[in-house]
Amino acid sequence: MFLLTPVLAAVVCILIVWLFKNAGRSIERRKGEPTGRAEARPWMHEDFKDSTDLCQVEEDADESQESEENVEHIAFSHTRYPEKEMVKRSQEFYELLNKRRSIRFISNEQIPMEVIDNVIRAAGTAPSGAHTEPWTFVVVKDPDTKHKIREIIEGEEEINYLKRMGHRWVTDLKKLRTNWIKEYLDTAPVLILIFKQVHGFAANGQRKVHYYSEISVSIACGILLAALQIAKIVLKELAFITFLIL
């Protein structure tokens, strides 16, 4: 029979006591944890991750968050075209958008504000996460304000070219002959500033989560570009700047 020496017996007793203590702590931790698991978030590529996602657990715990389940919906109506007409319309739309160019030599010709209003309204029809519409469009015409915006943009762009973007990205841009100098921000008669709302507010004043706000705003920008092309405004005759609101 195997006999424990006094020293070995003491070591075994200390090990048993340590195991029991740790087991008790694990049970206490599990009791303190919420019973429901956090809802899994959909996978997203690193380049498309929204840096403004808020902690959903805090929002779920806020029972005062206003429910919008009873919001009135607008009935959907549409015109269905014959197959030949659909082909014709889609071809014409493609040919129109295919003429779009990212031009950086800007005309200072004035543009009717009604056109600006209409293209922004068109951009506002974009889909968004949970229909939160997390965007704000700001029109700037004042020369001094435009110049201040140019200074901010050029300062950030210089850092981009020299530090953030890296050698490969800067090399790929050389064929386009672009740099951080943005004269067209002074020349353009109108700047449309597009702000991303990281959160909103419900009618009761409570903070309201905006889901995938960066992607939603990007879609709205795409529709804005299409609307400008349809209106026959050359891209960057209006300068588009996307700002991050913190």
Side-chain angles (χ1 to χ4, degrees):
M1 175 182 281
F2 178 73
L3 298 177
L4 294 176
T5 65
V7 175
L8 185 58
V11 171
V12 171
C13 289
I14 293 172
L15 181 60
I16 292 173
V17 171
W18 181 81
L19 289 173
F20 271 106
K21 282 187 176 180
N22 279 277
R25 289 173 184 168
S26 297
I27 293 172
E28 289 178 2
R29 281 198 299 268
R30 282 197 294 270
K31 286 181 179 178
E33 292 174 356
T35 54
R37 291 186 176 181
E39 191 172 315
R41 310 204 94 186
W43 178 89
M44 188 182 299
H45 189 278
E46 196 69 28
D47 290 343
F48 293 98
K49 281 186 178 178
D50 197 329
S51 58
T52 61
D53 285 347
L54 302 175
C55 181
Q56 188 62 43
V57 175
E58 293 181 3
E59 296 295 339
D60 290 341
D62 186 2
E63 295 180 358
S64 63
Q65 181 83 8
E66 184 181 30
S67 173
E68 297 183 344
E69 293 180 0
N70 297 321
V71 172
E72 183 179 357
H73 286 203
I74 299 175
F76 173 71
S77 61
H78 75 290
T79 301
R80 184 174 181 83
Y81 296 101
E83 185 173 316
K84 288 184 178 180
E85 180 66 14
M86 288 191 288
V87 172
K88 177 176 176 291
R89 291 168 66 89
S90 63
Q91 180 66 27
E92 289 175 349
F93 186 71
Y94 160 71
E95 290 175 356
L96 179 59
L97 292 190
N98 192 43
K99 295 176 182 177
R100 190 199 64 77
R101 296 293 182 269
S102 297
I103 297 171
R104 289 170 176 80
F105 299 95
I106 310 303
S107 167
N108 60 3
E109 181 181 350
Q110 294 298 314
I111 300 169
M113 280 306 299
E114 187 176 0
V115 174
I116 305 301
D117 291 339
N118 287 336
V119 296
I120 290 176
R121 288 193 187 100
T125 66
S128 58
H131 195 56
T132 52
E133 300 181 330
W135 45 66
T136 299
F137 295 88
V138 177
V139 176
V140 178
K141 299 181 70 176
D142 177 67
D144 291 337
T145 305
K146 289 193 298 177
H147 187 71
K148 289 177 182 177
I149 291 170
R150 174 185 172 180
E151 290 177 340
I152 294 172
I153 294 299
E154 288 183 341
E156 290 297 316
E157 279 286 80
E158 185 174 7
I159 298 173
N160 285 340
Y161 274 82
L162 299 180
K163 295 181 179 180
R164 296 184 184 126
M165 296 195 304
H167 176 73
R168 178 178 296 179
W169 191 346
V170 173
T171 300
D172 287 343
L173 287 173
K174 284 184 177 179
K175 62 180 177 291
L176 301 177
R177 301 189 180 121
T178 63
N179 54 41
W180 57 82
I181 306 301
K182 313 292 182 184
E183 304 100 331
Y184 54 80
L185 296 178
D186 278 325
T187 306
V190 174
L191 304 184
I192 300 178
L193 278 57
I194 306 166
F195 290 85
K196 175 183 70 178
Q197 301 172 5
V198 298
H199 64 80
F201 292 95
N204 61 3
Q206 293 293 326
R207 179 178 288 198
K208 181 179 178 181
V209 179
H210 281 173
Y211 306 95
Y212 299 118
S213 55
E214 196 159 306
I215 295 176
S216 299
V217 172
S218 298
I219 296 172
C221 289
I223 294 179
L224 178 64
L225 298 182
L228 290 166
Q229 181 66 14
I230 290 173
K232 298 297 185 182
I233 299 175
V234 178
L235 175 59
K236 292 207 175 180
E237 227 169 69
L238 298 176
F240 302 98
I241 314 150
T242 302
F243 283 87
L244 171 63
I245 295 183
L246 301 177

